[in-house]
């Protein structure tokens, strides 16, 4: 009559052989070479009591016996960490005794209603027993249910076929307290796949054998060849059935348990959180001393700097506020910016408190450290409400340096977006930050303040800010340009009919005359957001009526959309069937401006594109150059970097005539950058004619630094409760050491101008996947490192007409290194390690731009002068 759960016979002792194995390895590797270990033992099971009123309510006693530990794969004696050690030595006497103390389960209809054990046992041994107890839970009819076991409360599906039951557990649905976090952008994050299945074979209503297996796979989304897997297996096999002790008398479970042993207590079947303490880990200051030399500012574009940065973050995450402050206060000014990068990137409450206590925003002389702190906040992988609150408080307080004040607001915008992306848009602190930016923008009267709040909105990308941005896009000068580029960053799905109407009005100058930079941005927004046939037709008909260089720029933009097969290319091709829009007169316009897109890499996981567009004024002086790098996979896009150099009002230097609508522009040159979706504070090369002249006279030719520092890119950490009892963890950290500088050089003598953007980067990515039992750790470390440089140079010779313009985009040859280390270690320090390393060279490349550019470069370098000096 026992149809709903397994049934034990009275007065019998069931003797089982039990084993629990863990393997850690690369995803595609066979388990024969994996790191790991196996625990095997005897397990005695007998029925203690059956409810006289309900045969399906039983108390079952389970005892682990004769425990042994060994390698999961055979190893030579020299590589076997367990060789010559008794189980008592490996596990420890106290732990072994605890492990072999029996547990009692109350099974009702095959499910564990109550788990009884001894109260003061170590959490590790309790969890191994919970892992074994969870195996005894099954139902004898097919169907889905929510069931509690060691993994928490999980969705579980049973398939029953004669004497075999298959149990599939949806581990992703399990409700259990989890530690960990993921990276903000999916491209930089880690993808996971989890499976869990148990097969029961029954005989005479009770268990004959159980095979359980869980697989956890972790893959870097950027490079899915890089990843790790954890496989956990359990086996329970019936060896014999002997005569056993008789049943205990009693009507209530509580009284039976008390009779058996008054020390037993009811406990949850879910695993309890446990962490093994690190006995020989270096202190934070010791760790800092060991990596300090790699963190010198001169070495910041090396992979070793990125590697040291990541290891330092891991140490900071375990440190107290006092330990962190001790290092910050004792270090000199060369190393402090790198320490601030790491402490801020650690993103623990202790690290944030420490860095805020150290930084004094009323001290203008410490602006470099304040800026590094703020940018590290902007790049935060999983920002907290506490972080945003700290920045709001700083902004409302005294800030000595006006540029730092700007940066605080700009970074607040980035944090709003990141918190909103994680579903935190309705948090009170996010609401406060939104109101602060929007209300202050409404009241701002000075242009500098308006720019500051617009830059914050360019980061926040709030749907409710679109009407505000439209208003400013139709104003003048820099403010108009900034509002338009902010709208350009929105996903096209947010760009309403009203946005398109306004952009058309700006491009076609229906209400007022606008600068070329704003008009071309408006055209790009229209063409990128599902334009109608008439919108495309009107843009194409305007070509020929525009200022000369703008004609050429718009033609290039259209041709780029067609050659790169962008979404609007189909509509453009339809329009081009009409001869009024597609004719020689329109498509043969002269000029040096251009727009071009191409692939940097095309891979199975992610691809990256570059786009380079350059707009000149009619006098041949650079008006705007814009270099973008995007990374995307099937579902997501990441704006990895953008460097925009803008210049205006320079015609007076070469006695040229300004273009329409640009007659009264002040002399200005500057640079703006976006890095990993975060708009940084723009940098000014010079502002005004007087500043321009002084820069020309005191010119050193040295490029101006835009970004220098260490950025945490990938930040993934998850703890996994394995069904067999141990705790596993997966941690992937990716760091970037970056140095971007840019300059605009200008020689009146040789009538030549040059812009140069240098990108020096080093990336280090480290993953550690580990299974931690209290007596042994096993795992795998994987690492990737690459150092590279990307230079973008634009040379213009305006000694003749038409001007000669040559653009170059080069990447140097790059070493790409990969490391894999598998290990097993005992607390005593005995350790087995297997390490593999592979290096390949990625060839350098000069990225192709359009054919006209190649022809022009031949002329420029065929007639290039020896111009040195007299640059600024």
């Amino acid at each position: 009559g026992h149809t709903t759960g397994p049934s034990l016979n009275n007065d019998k002792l069931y003797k089982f052989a039990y084993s629990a194995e863990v393997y850690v390895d690369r995803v595609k590797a066979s388990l024969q070479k994996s790191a790991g270990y196996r625990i095997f033992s005897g397990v005695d099971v007998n029925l203690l009591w059956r409810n006289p009123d309900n045969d399906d309510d039983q108390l079952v006693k389970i005892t682990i016996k004769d425990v042994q530990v060994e390698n999961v794969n055979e190893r030579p004696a020299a590589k076997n960490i367990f060789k010559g050690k008794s189980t008592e030595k490996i596990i420890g006497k106290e732990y072994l005794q605890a492990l072999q103390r029996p547990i009692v389960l109350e099974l009702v209809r095959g499910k564990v209603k109550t788990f009884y054990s001894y109260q003061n046992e170590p959490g590790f041994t309790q969890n191994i027993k919970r892992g074994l107890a969870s195996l005894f839970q099954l139902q004898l009819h097919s169907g889905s249910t929510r069931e509690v076991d060691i993994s928490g409360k999980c969705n579980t599906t049973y398939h029953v076929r004669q004497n075999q039951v298959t149990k599939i557990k949806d581990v992703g649905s399990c409700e259990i307290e989890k530690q960990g976090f993921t990276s903000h952008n999916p491209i930089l994050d880690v993808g996971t796949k989890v499976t869990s299945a148990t097969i029961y074979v029954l005989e005479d209503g009770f268990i004959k054998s159980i095979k359980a297996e869980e697989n956890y796979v972790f893959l870097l989304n950027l490079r899915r060849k890089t990843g790790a897997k954890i496989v956990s297996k359990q086996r329970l096999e019936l060896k014999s059935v002997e005569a056993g002790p008789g049943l205990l008398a009693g009507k209530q479970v509580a009284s039976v348990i008390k009779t058996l042993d008054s020390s037993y207590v009811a406990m949850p079947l879910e695993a309890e959180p446990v962490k093994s303490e690190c006995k020989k880990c270096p202190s934070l200051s010791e760790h800092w001393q060991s990596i300090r030399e790699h963190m010198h500012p001169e070495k910041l574009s090396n992979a070793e700097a990125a590697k040291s940065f990541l290891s330092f973050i891991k140490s900071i995450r375990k440190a107290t506020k006092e330990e962190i402050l001790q290092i910050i206060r004792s270090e000199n000014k060369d190393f402090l910016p790198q320490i601030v990068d790491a402490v801020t990137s650690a993103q623990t409450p202790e690290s944030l408190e420490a860095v805020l206590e150290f930084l004094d925003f009323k001290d203008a002389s410490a602006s470099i450290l304040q800026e590094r702190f703020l940018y590290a906040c902007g790049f935060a992988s999983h920002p907290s409400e506490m972080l945003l609150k700290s920045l709001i408080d700083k902004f409302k307080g005294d800030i000595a340096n006006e540029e730092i004040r700007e940066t605080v607001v700009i970074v607040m915008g980035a944090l709003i977006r990141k918190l909103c992306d994680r579903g935190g848009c309705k948090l009170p602190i996010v609401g406060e930050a939104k109101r602060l930016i929007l209300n202050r923008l409404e009241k701002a009267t000075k242009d500098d303040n308006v720019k500051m709040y617009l830059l914050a909105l360019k980061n926040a990308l709030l749907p409710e800010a679109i009407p505000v941005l439209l208003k400013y896009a139709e104003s003048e000068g820099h403010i108009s340009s900034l509002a338009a580029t902010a709208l350009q960053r929105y996903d096209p799905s947010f760009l309403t009919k009203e946005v398109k109407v306004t952009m058309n009005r700006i491009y076609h100058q229906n209400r007022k005359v606008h600068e070329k930079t704003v008009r071309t941005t408006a055209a790009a927004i229209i063409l990128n957001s599902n334009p109608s046939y008439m919108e495309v037709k009107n843009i194409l008909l305007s070509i020929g009526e525009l200022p000369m260089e703008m004609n050429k720029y718009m033609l290039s933009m259209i041709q780029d959309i067609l050659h790169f097969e962008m979404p609007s290319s189909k509509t453009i091709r339809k329009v081009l069937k009409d001869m009024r829009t597609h004719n020689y007169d329109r498509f043969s316009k002269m000029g040096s401006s251009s727009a071009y897109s191409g692939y940097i890499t095309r891979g199975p996981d992610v691809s990256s594109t570059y786009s380079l567009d350059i707009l000149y004024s009619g006098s041949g002086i650079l008006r705007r150059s814009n270099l973008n790098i995007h990374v995307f996979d099937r579902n997501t896009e990441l704006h990895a970097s953008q460097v925009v150099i803008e210049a205006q009002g320079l015609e007076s230097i070469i006695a040229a005539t300004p273009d329409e609508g640009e007659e009264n522009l002040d002399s200005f040159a500057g640079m703006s950058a976006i890095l990993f979706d975060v708009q940084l504070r723009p940098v000014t090369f010079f502002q005004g004619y007087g500043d321009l002249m002084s820069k020309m006279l005191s010119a050193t030719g040295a490029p101006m630094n835009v970004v220098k520092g260490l950025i945490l890119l990938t930040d993934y950490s998850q703890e996994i409760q394995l069904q067999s009892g141990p705790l596993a963890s997966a941690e992937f950290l990716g760091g970037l050491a970056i140095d971007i500088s840019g300059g605009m050089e200008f020689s009146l003598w040789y009538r030549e101008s040059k812009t140069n953007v240098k990108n020096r980067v080093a990336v280090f990515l480290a993953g550690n996947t580990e299974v931690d039992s209290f007596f042994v750790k096993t795992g795998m470390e994987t690492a990737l490192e690459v150092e590279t440089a990307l230079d973008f140079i634009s040379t213009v010779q305006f000694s003749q007409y038409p001007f000669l313009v040559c653009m170059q985009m080069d990447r140097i040859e790059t070493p790409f290194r990969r490391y894999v280390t598998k290990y097993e270690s005992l607390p005593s320090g005995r350790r087995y390690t297997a390490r593999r390393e592979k290096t390949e060279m990625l060839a350098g490349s000069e990225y192709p731009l359009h054919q006209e550019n190649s022809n022009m470069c031949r002329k420029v370098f065929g007639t290039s002068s020896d111009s040195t000096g007299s640059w600024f």
Side-chain angles (χ1 to χ4, degrees):
H2 301 281
T3 54
T4 56
S7 170
L8 289 81
N9 288 325
N10 302 356
D11 311 329
K12 296 288 184 196
L13 180 67
Y14 295 82
K15 285 192 155 308
F16 288 89
Y18 175 66
S19 70
E21 304 168 341
V22 289
Y23 303 80
V24 185
D25 211 331
R26 287 172 301 129
V27 178
K28 294 271 173 79
S30 76
L31 296 182
Q32 275 73 38
K33 292 185 178 176
S34 300
Y37 60 87
R38 176 188 293 118
I39 302 172
F40 60 99
S41 69
V43 170
D44 287 358
V45 179
N46 65 288
L47 185 66
L48 283 177
W49 170 85
R50 184 175 275 132
N51 189 335
D53 303 324
N54 177 7
D55 270 5
D56 259 332
D57 183 2
Q58 343 174 47
L59 281 179
V60 178
K61 181 179 172 187
I62 300 172
T63 311
I64 296 174
K65 294 188 149 186
D66 310 321
V67 181
Q68 304 211 22
V69 186
E70 62 179 15
N71 286 115
V72 78
N73 288 314
E74 277 189 40
R75 290 252 162 79
K79 295 181 177 179
N80 185 344
I81 58 168
F82 304 113
K83 182 75 178 166
K85 280 184 173 272
S86 66
T87 307
E88 193 173 289
K89 263 277 176 57
I90 296 166
I91 295 182
K93 189 176 179 182
E94 184 192 330
Y95 282 96
L96 187 58
Q97 283 173 352
L99 195 56
Q100 296 185 352
R101 278 188 211 120
I103 53 170
V104 175
L105 305 182
E106 183 184 5
L107 285 175
V108 179
R109 296 188 189 88
K111 304 293 171 81
V112 177
K113 184 183 176 187
T114 322
F115 170 77
Y116 293 98
S117 187
Y118 295 95
Q119 195 159 19
N120 297 320
E121 274 189 20
F124 284 112
T125 58
Q126 293 282 33
N127 283 350
I128 286 177
K129 291 179 186 178
R130 287 182 170 105
L132 177 59
S134 297
L135 290 180
F136 283 88
Q137 179 158 261
L138 81 153
Q139 69 184 39
L140 299 182
H141 59 274
S142 297
S144 296
T145 179
R146 270 185 82 68
E147 191 173 278
V148 176
D149 69 2
I150 183 167
S151 309
K153 193 171 190 180
C154 313
N155 292 341
T156 309
T157 306
Y158 285 91
H159 300 282
V160 179
R161 202 177 65 230
Q162 292 170 330
N163 65 341
Q164 186 173 306
V165 180
T166 304
K167 176 162 76 171
I168 308 287
K169 183 161 65 177
D170 176 5
V171 180
S173 70
C174 296
E175 286 174 29
I176 193 169
E177 199 176 315
K178 287 178 186 165
Q179 298 292 316
F181 38 80
T182 56
S183 304
H184 172 254
N185 189 291
I187 286 176
L188 301 172
D189 206 31
V190 173
T192 55
K193 290 179 185 171
V194 187
T195 57
S196 172
T198 308
I199 295 172
Y200 295 83
V201 176
L202 306 178
E203 190 175 75
D204 297 334
F206 193 52
I207 294 161
K208 185 184 178 188
S209 72
I210 303 173
K211 286 182 184 175
E213 185 172 320
E214 282 180 303
N215 286 272
Y216 291 85
V217 173
F218 305 92
L219 296 165
L220 271 178
N221 291 340
L222 260 177
R223 183 189 158 84
R224 296 177 76 82
K225 278 184 185 172
T226 301
K229 70 177 170 190
I230 297 171
V231 180
S232 166
K233 295 184 177 187
Q234 289 167 282
R235 286 189 180 192
L236 192 71
E237 222 167 302
L238 184 63
K239 290 297 179 190
S240 64
V241 182
E242 301 171 2
L247 298 189
L248 297 174
K251 286 206 165 187
Q252 299 296 325
V253 171
S255 62
V256 176
I257 290 288
K258 203 164 193 182
T259 310
L260 182 68
D261 188 336
S262 58
S263 304
Y264 273 124
V265 287
M267 291 186 173
L269 193 55
E270 292 109 319
E272 60 185 278
V274 282
K275 259 277 196 269
S276 57
E277 290 300 311
C278 186
K279 300 262 186 351
K280 294 175 184 173
C281 288
S283 68
L284 188 63
S285 58
E286 286 167 345
H287 188 138
W288 169 246
Q289 289 309 318
S290 70
I291 60 165
R292 185 176 181 271
E293 61 174 298
H294 303 303
M295 304 288 261
H296 193 277
E298 298 303 312
K299 297 181 180 178
L300 275 198
S301 53
N302 299 342
E304 199 59 54
K307 179 182 180 180
S308 301
F309 169 64
L310 297 181
S311 68
F312 193 36
I313 286 174
K314 285 169 80 170
S315 285
I316 294 167
R317 284 180 169 165
K318 296 170 189 158
T320 63
K321 176 183 160 184
E322 286 66 35
E323 287 172 312
I324 298 166
L325 275 169
Q326 185 188 346
I327 287 182
I328 303 181
R329 286 177 173 150
S330 62
E331 201 42 270
N332 69 39
K333 67 179 190 333
D334 284 345
F335 291 93
L336 268 177
Q338 290 74 263
I339 292 179
V340 168
D341 286 342
V343 170
T344 313
S345 300
Q347 298 169 74
T348 64
E350 292 78 10
S351 64
L352 180 59
E353 283 173 26
V355 74
L356 286 172
E357 189 170 313
F358 173 73
L359 292 174
D360 179 7
F361 282 74
K362 294 174 191 157
D363 177 7
S365 66
S367 61
I368 288 175
L369 295 180
Q370 292 159 20
E371 186 168 68
R372 289 285 273 266
F373 160 71
L374 291 167
Y375 282 148
C377 292
F379 297 127
S381 54
H382 51 279
S384 62
E385 296 168 64
M386 180 181 166
L387 180 58
L388 182 57
K389 185 178 187 316
S390 307
L391 293 195
I392 293 173
D393 293 345
K394 287 293 170 206
F395 182 68
K396 288 178 176 174
D398 292 338
I399 299 176
N401 184 313
E402 198 50 44
E403 288 183 346
I404 294 298
R405 187 178 170 73
E406 273 181 52
T407 311
V408 171
V409 178
I410 293 168
V411 169
M412 271 164 55
L415 293 182
I416 289 170
R417 182 180 176 197
K418 287 188 173 184
L419 287 164
C420 280
D421 284 350
R422 288 184 172 245
C425 239
K426 292 195 165 65
L427 291 168
I429 199 69
V430 175
E432 187 184 334
K434 284 188 204 174
R435 286 191 298 278
L436 185 145
I437 293 167
L438 289 166
N439 293 348
R440 300 235 179 164
L441 174 59
E442 205 178 314
K443 293 172 188 163
T445 49
K446 285 161 64 184
D447 277 4
D448 283 352
N449 284 345
V450 172
K451 281 184 214 164
M452 168 170 89
Y453 295 116
L454 286 176
L455 284 162
L457 292 179
K458 192 173 176 181
N459 270 334
L461 297 183
L462 300 170
E464 60 264 43
I466 289 175
V468 183
L469 293 170
L470 287 177
K471 181 183 93 174
Y472 282 105
E474 288 199 89
S475 62
E476 286 168 1
H478 260 323
I479 286 173
S480 159
S481 183
L482 181 50
T485 56
L487 286 163
Q488 199 176 8
R489 292 198 70 205
Y490 280 84
D491 186 271
S493 60
F494 286 103
L495 301 180
T496 56
K497 187 183 172 195
E498 189 189 354
V499 175
K500 305 265 288 276
V501 168
T502 309
M503 292 302 113
N504 277 293
R505 208 160 49 219
I506 291 171
Y507 176 74
H508 296 292
Q509 304 193 111
N510 298 134
R511 284 191 181 166
K512 62 197 276 194
V513 172
H514 290 278
E515 291 173 33
K516 291 195 294 289
T517 48
V518 185
R519 293 181 71 191
T520 51
T521 303
I525 292 170
I526 296 163
L527 292 170
N528 190 37
S529 49
N530 192 21
S532 68
Y533 182 90
M534 280 314 295
E535 282 174 325
V536 172
K537 186 173 181 176
N538 287 337
I539 286 174
L540 279 164
L541 287 173
S542 72
I543 296 171
E545 315 298 323
L546 306 167
M548 187 189 82
E549 284 296 337
M550 190 172 162
N551 271 329
K552 180 66 179 169
Y553 181 87
M554 288 305 299
L555 266 180
S556 278
M557 188 195 283
I558 296 289
Q559 283 160 342
D560 188 43
I561 290 170
L562 292 172
H563 110 264
F564 210 60
E565 293 292 343
M566 292 177 198
S568 57
S569 58
K570 286 180 184 170
T571 311
I572 291 173
R573 282 199 176 90
K574 265 188 207 166
V575 175
L576 289 177
K577 287 177 180 170
D578 181 348
M579 293 306 288
R580 277 173 303 171
T581 55
H582 192 192
N583 54 51
Y584 179 78
D585 179 49
R586 209 178 300 287
F587 274 72
S588 62
K589 297 300 177 191
M590 300 287 287
S592 307
S593 300
S594 64
Y596 189 82
S597 303
Y599 281 98
I600 296 177
T601 56
R602 294 180 85 165
D605 308 319
V606 294
S607 298
S608 56
T609 60
Y610 65 93
S611 66
L612 177 59
D613 56 86
I614 293 212
L615 177 62
Y616 292 97
S617 63
S619 56
I621 294 176
L622 176 84
R623 193 71 177 79
R624 181 186 66 207
S625 85
N626 184 353
L627 171 64
N628 284 286
I629 295 173
H630 283 86
V631 183
F632 55 92
D633 62 12
R634 291 180 191 88
N635 314 311
T636 320
E637 187 178 325
L638 171 67
H639 198 168
S641 82
Q642 179 190 63
V643 181
V644 181
I645 294 181
E646 260 190 270
Q648 65 178 39
L650 302 184
E651 283 77 11
S652 55
I653 303 170
I654 57 168
T657 308
D659 290 346
E660 176 199 22
E662 301 185 0
E663 297 85 359
N664 303 317
L665 293 180
D666 199 5
S667 301
F668 164 85
M671 183 159 158
S672 167
I674 288 173
L675 202 55
F676 298 106
D677 268 336
V678 179
Q679 166 72 52
L680 310 181
R681 182 176 50 76
V683 175
T684 300
F685 297 149
F686 61 79
Q687 175 95 48
Y689 193 72
D691 189 20
L692 162 61
M693 284 302 157
S694 71
K695 292 261 170 54
M696 282 179 88
L697 295 170
S698 62
T700 61
M704 197 160 182
N705 189 267
V706 186
V707 184
K708 190 170 190 167
L710 296 151
I711 299 172
L712 182 61
L713 292 182
T714 295
D715 192 11
Y716 177 91
S717 174
Q718 292 297 318
E719 285 187 354
I720 303 128
Q721 179 56 56
L722 296 181
Q723 192 170 282
S724 54
L727 190 69
S729 62
E731 184 176 55
F732 287 83
L733 287 173
L736 178 80
I738 191 163
D739 190 344
I740 298 181
S741 56
M744 184 176 178
E745 304 173 338
F746 198 89
S747 169
L748 282 177
W749 185 260
Y750 294 103
R751 295 181 78 76
E752 188 173 276
S753 82
K754 237 185 204 182
T755 58
N756 190 347
V757 178
K758 287 176 177 290
N759 296 275
R760 301 276 176 276
V761 293
V763 177
F764 190 86
L765 221 146
N768 184 22
T769 314
E770 185 174 83
V771 179
D772 181 6
S773 286
F774 54 99
F775 58 89
V776 59
K777 279 187 182 180
T778 183
M780 184 183 76
E781 291 168 356
T782 179
L784 307 174
E785 67 175 59
V786 63
E787 291 172 15
T788 192
L790 187 71
D791 286 355
F792 162 56
I793 303 155
S794 164
T795 309
V796 185
Q797 290 180 356
F798 44 86
S799 53
Q800 62 188 78
Y801 195 84
F803 317 113
L804 296 178
V805 180
C806 169
M807 294 177 290
Q808 295 155 279
M809 192 167 143
D810 301 340
R811 192 192 73 215
I812 61 167
E813 187 181 45
T814 302
F816 176 57
R817 299 186 184 90
R818 289 174 284 165
Y819 312 92
V820 172
T821 308
K822 293 182 238 181
Y823 61 88
E824 294 154 3
S825 68
L826 297 174
S828 62
R830 194 189 275 198
R831 188 176 171 95
Y832 158 73
T833 308
R835 183 179 165 88
R836 287 179 64 192
E837 186 177 318
K838 193 175 181 183
T839 302
E840 57 188 285
M841 295 304 289
L842 307 177
S845 175
E846 183 163 341
Y847 289 103
L849 300 167
H850 40 80
Q851 186 58 47
E852 285 173 43
N853 182 62
S854 306
N855 301 340
M856 199 84 82
C857 287
R858 286 192 197 100
K859 288 185 188 173
V860 168
F861 292 111
T863 62
S864 66
S865 55
D866 294 333
S867 53
T868 50
S870 73
W871 298 95
F872 69 85

